[in-house]
Amino acid sequence: MPRPYTFSIFFRIFASMKKFDELLDIMSKLRAGCPWDKKQTFETLRYLTIEETYELSDAVINNDLDEIKKELGDLLLHIVFYSKIAEEKNAFTIDDVIEGISQKLISRHPHIFSDAKAENADQAQANWEAIKLKEKGRKSVLEGVPNSLPAMVKAYRIQEKARGVGFDWDNAHQVLEKVIEEFREMRNEVKANGSHERIEAEFGDLFFALINYARFIDVNPDDALERTNQRFIKRFNYLEQQTLQKRKSLHDMTLDEMNVYWEQAKANEKL
């Protein structure tokens, strides 16, 4: 006799499938009847998808769970939209998309679905990169890093992929020493009035080393910088608001006068 929780799991799966089918049906009706939806192509959706991805990123940064739920829905809509367009072209269907990712997850996790070993996350990632390299017939593990990624995210992914094949520092202390070395080289180039190209190159090396160090201390540099951006915006907005209340203009204030409000904004954050 089936256990009670078996029926509960079955009911949840059935309910989820029904909701997904409803979404597919809605997409079909929109594609058939809405002038805007009928007009869309892979190319026109691309920029909208990028925007939705960044909106999800904002929600994650802000730890806004309700907004994360909404943005995931928007991304799911885009996946369904692309698949519907592809189905009309007789290229593939949403079922093909789901089957493809399922097969990929199974093949890339032999330590779960086969007899391979992965005692920790690094070994699991190494398995993933090795299998991916073999599947796609790539000559370099770095070929999988999209050219259009933002530079900081790209640097982080490059370093992660290099680590996946064992090309990495041993510990965070070594990387911090590299950061200090790169800072000195950049500073020396500036002091020596080096060319713009040399200063830019040394600055780039310093950024790359900092991103590497962030990875070693388990900090996502893009998230860290964005949170700093948000703190700056919040403090600057407070500075502007206080200035308006005092009927002053930022243009007429000294840096010391503005810094008073800046420090107030920082103090308010700690309350």
Side-chain angles (χ1 to χ4, degrees):
M1 181 176 178
R3 296 180 179 179
Y5 68 77
T6 302
F7 292 107
S8 176
I9 294 173
F10 177 79
F11 180 77
R12 289 181 61 185
I13 293 174
F14 178 78
S16 295
M17 291 176 61
K18 184 179 179 181
K19 290 177 181 177
F20 190 66
D21 285 342
E22 288 175 355
L23 175 60
L24 296 179
D25 184 55
I26 291 170
M27 185 72 256
S28 294
K29 290 177 179 178
L30 292 176
R31 189 69 175 165
C34 174
W36 186 89
D37 288 283
K38 290 166 65 174
K39 186 179 179 182
Q40 301 313 305
T41 65
F42 287 153
E43 291 74 20
T44 60
L45 286 177
R46 174 177 173 268
Y47 295 101
L48 298 176
T49 307
I50 293 172
E51 180 181 342
E52 294 295 351
T53 303
Y54 276 104
E55 289 180 356
L56 173 60
S57 175
D58 287 345
V60 172
I61 288 289
N62 295 327
N63 194 29
D64 188 335
L65 298 181
D66 188 56
E67 198 63 26
I68 289 174
K69 178 188 68 176
K70 294 177 182 177
E71 297 304 337
L72 286 174
D74 289 342
L75 282 180
L76 179 57
L77 167 62
H78 278 242
I79 293 170
V80 169
F81 210 151
Y82 283 110
S83 298
K84 181 61 180 178
I85 295 173
E87 184 179 356
E88 294 168 356
K89 296 176 179 290
N90 294 317
F92 59 83
T93 67
I94 188 66
D95 289 339
D96 297 324
V97 173
I98 295 172
E99 181 181 1
I101 189 59
S102 296
Q103 291 178 350
K104 179 187 289 187
L105 289 174
I106 292 172
S107 67
R108 301 270 180 93
H109 292 82
H111 52 288
I112 301 297
F113 301 102
S114 187
D115 56 359
K117 301 295 182 182
E119 302 297 333
N120 53 52
D122 287 342
Q123 290 179 8
Q125 185 177 3
N127 287 346
W128 177 284
E129 292 297 343
I131 295 169
K132 185 176 182 178
L133 197 64
K134 183 178 179 181
E135 286 177 349
K136 295 182 176 291
R138 289 171 174 162
K139 297 179 181 179
S140 170
V141 296
L142 301 183
E143 287 183 30
V145 180
N147 289 327
S148 58
L149 276 180
M152 183 176 293
V153 178
K154 183 188 290 187
Y156 194 83
R157 291 296 292 137
I158 288 171
Q159 293 165 6
E160 282 189 322
K161 285 184 174 292
R163 179 180 180 81
V165 294
F167 187 77
D168 205 3
W169 299 89
D170 292 327
N171 55 66
H173 178 73
Q174 292 175 328
V175 188
L176 181 57
E177 289 297 316
K178 184 63 176 176
V179 170
I180 295 171
E181 174 189 330
E182 295 296 351
F183 174 76
R184 288 171 178 164
E185 291 180 2
M186 185 273 296
R187 182 182 59 184
N188 291 339
E189 198 67 41
V190 172
K191 284 184 176 180
N193 291 320
S195 67
H196 179 270
E197 289 76 13
R198 286 300 309 157
I199 293 175
E200 182 184 72
E202 294 298 344
F203 220 102
D205 290 346
L206 175 59
F207 270 135
F208 195 84
L210 277 170
I211 292 167
N212 221 351
Y213 184 62
R215 183 170 56 87
F216 265 82
I217 60 175
D218 197 28
V219 170
N220 185 297
D222 192 68
D223 291 348
L225 180 58
E226 179 55 23
R227 287 191 171 97
T228 296
N229 288 340
Q230 294 300 322
R231 285 196 300 272
F232 185 95
I233 291 171
K234 186 176 180 180
R235 293 170 186 174
F236 196 82
N237 286 343
Y238 178 85
L239 165 62
E240 290 177 314
Q241 291 166 6
Q242 294 301 309
T243 302
L244 287 174
Q245 288 180 11
K246 301 293 183 180
R247 296 186 178 181
K248 294 183 179 180
S249 169
L250 289 176
H251 297 287
D252 299 327
M253 296 173 64
T254 66
L255 183 58
D256 287 340
E257 289 174 322
M258 287 188 283
N259 196 53
V260 171
Y261 296 120
W262 185 267
E263 292 299 326
Q264 288 178 6
K266 289 175 61 176
N268 291 338
E269 291 173 3
K270 300 175 183 178
L271 296 178

